[in-house]
Amino acid sequence: VGCDRSKNLVDICGEKHFQAFVCDALSVPIRSGSCDACISIAVIHHFSTAERRLATICELARLLRPGGTALIYVWAMEQEYKNQKSKYLKEKNGSQNKEKEMNTGTAQRPLSDQGPDNSSQDSAWSDQLLNGLKDESCGAKPVADFRLPVHTNRTSFHSQDLLVPWHLKGGTKKKEESVDKVVVPGGSKESQELSPVFHRYYHVFCEGELEAACRSLDCVRVQKSYYDQGNWCVILEKL
């Protein structure tokens, strides 16, 4: 049984005769202790505070029966690990045209749902989970004034909290949607409109950060923690 925050994606699953429903990862409408296994792939890194990220792990643990297991994947800050580049970085050469489009959104943008309660409390909670591990240990730069950098596609991360451009292909531009423009090469001031660009929030995880959050819970045991193609991964067992 699958679940997703996007009704459109759930509808696609229904058309393919899969069981799926709309829900929020912070509150899954399934009875506690009723699942043999749960997977969370590329979800938790979209939550903007350490408290919310931990709450999603707690919710996964709640669903599991004793002895049940959960697999979690989140995007890693370290896209080059043990002298090996991730697939994400390696695909840069094959995406040069798309790269030019992504580069049009390099200015910093404010994130409207980041409030004052996200700064000091979140930092203190992260420090507690990581037992003093500093942000600088993985090359992260502090974000000031609640403004997040817009990531350049297929490049290394320079901040743990960032916005990733998402181009809507083949969509119709609505009045309220912003459309990025790209300057035509050759010195011309003429510009052309691209497809609408949306910016998705990500918190990319440093080494040990996901595992530390999981180990802070008394109801689960970390079976395995590992790195896989630009992702930090943990397998949990419900006690």
Side-chain angles (χ1 to χ4, degrees):
V1 178
C3 55
D4 197 281
R5 188 67 178 80
S6 167
K7 181 181 182 299
N8 289 340
L9 292 179
V10 169
D11 287 343
I12 292 173
C13 291
E15 292 168 1
K16 296 179 180 293
H17 306 293
F18 294 119
Q19 296 185 70
F21 60 91
V22 175
C23 82
D24 192 302
L26 291 170
S27 181
V28 181
I30 295 179
R31 179 168 51 86
S32 299
S34 60
C35 298
D36 295 317
C38 296
I39 61 173
S40 174
I41 307 295
V43 172
I44 295 177
H45 56 216
H46 289 298
F47 288 91
S48 61
T49 68
E51 290 89 346
R52 285 173 177 264
R53 294 189 286 271
L54 184 62
T56 60
I57 300 173
C58 289
E59 186 69 352
L60 277 177
R62 180 188 68 79
L63 300 176
L64 293 173
R65 63 166 176 78
T69 56
L71 171 65
I72 301 172
Y73 265 60
V74 294
W75 216 353
M77 176 81 178
E78 302 86 352
Q79 288 297 306
E80 187 167 345
Y81 186 68
K82 294 184 177 179
N83 297 322
Q84 295 288 327
K85 290 186 177 181
S86 68
K87 185 178 179 181
Y88 175 73
L89 293 183
K90 287 180 179 178
E91 289 182 353
K92 180 178 181 180
N93 292 334
S95 309
Q96 290 182 354
N97 293 332
K98 186 179 293 184
E99 179 75 10
K100 292 178 182 177
E101 295 181 4
M102 293 296 187
N103 284 340
T104 63
T106 56
Q108 288 191 341
R109 308 278 182 93
L111 183 65
S112 59
D113 63 351
Q114 291 262 51
D117 62 338
N118 179 42
S119 56
S120 59
Q121 293 180 4
D122 191 36
S123 298
W125 185 250
S126 297
D127 289 343
Q128 180 181 351
L129 288 178
L130 296 174
N131 295 320
L133 179 64
K134 295 181 179 180
D135 288 340
E136 289 82 358
S137 63
C138 63
K141 296 180 180 179
V143 177
D145 302 326
F146 301 103
R147 295 173 67 85
L148 297 178
V150 176
H151 176 62
T152 300
N153 195 33
R154 306 296 173 187
T155 65
S156 298
F157 297 116
H158 301 291
S159 172
Q160 276 195 273
D161 298 281
L162 44 86
L163 300 176
V164 176
W166 182 275
H167 285 253
L168 184 63
K169 295 182 179 180
T172 302
K173 176 181 173 293
K174 298 179 181 179
K175 290 183 179 179
E176 66 273 14
E177 292 175 353
S178 64
V179 176
D180 282 3
K181 296 185 178 182
V182 59
V183 176
V184 176
S188 171
K189 293 183 179 180
E190 179 186 0
S191 64
Q192 64 185 40
E193 289 189 350
L194 300 174
S195 57
V197 180
F198 300 91
H199 292 83
R200 302 181 71 190
Y201 170 84
Y202 283 80
H203 172 85
V204 290
F205 282 67
C206 286
E207 181 174 7
E209 185 177 355
L210 176 62
E211 182 178 351
C214 294
R215 290 190 185 280
S216 70
L217 303 180
D218 295 331
C219 60
V220 296
R221 178 177 68 88
V222 175
Q223 281 189 342
K224 187 178 180 181
S225 178
Y226 59 98
Y227 179 90
D228 180 27
Q229 284 296 332
N231 300 281
W232 287 113
C233 321
V234 165
I235 298 176
L236 301 176
E237 179 185 4
K238 180 71 172 289
L239 300 177

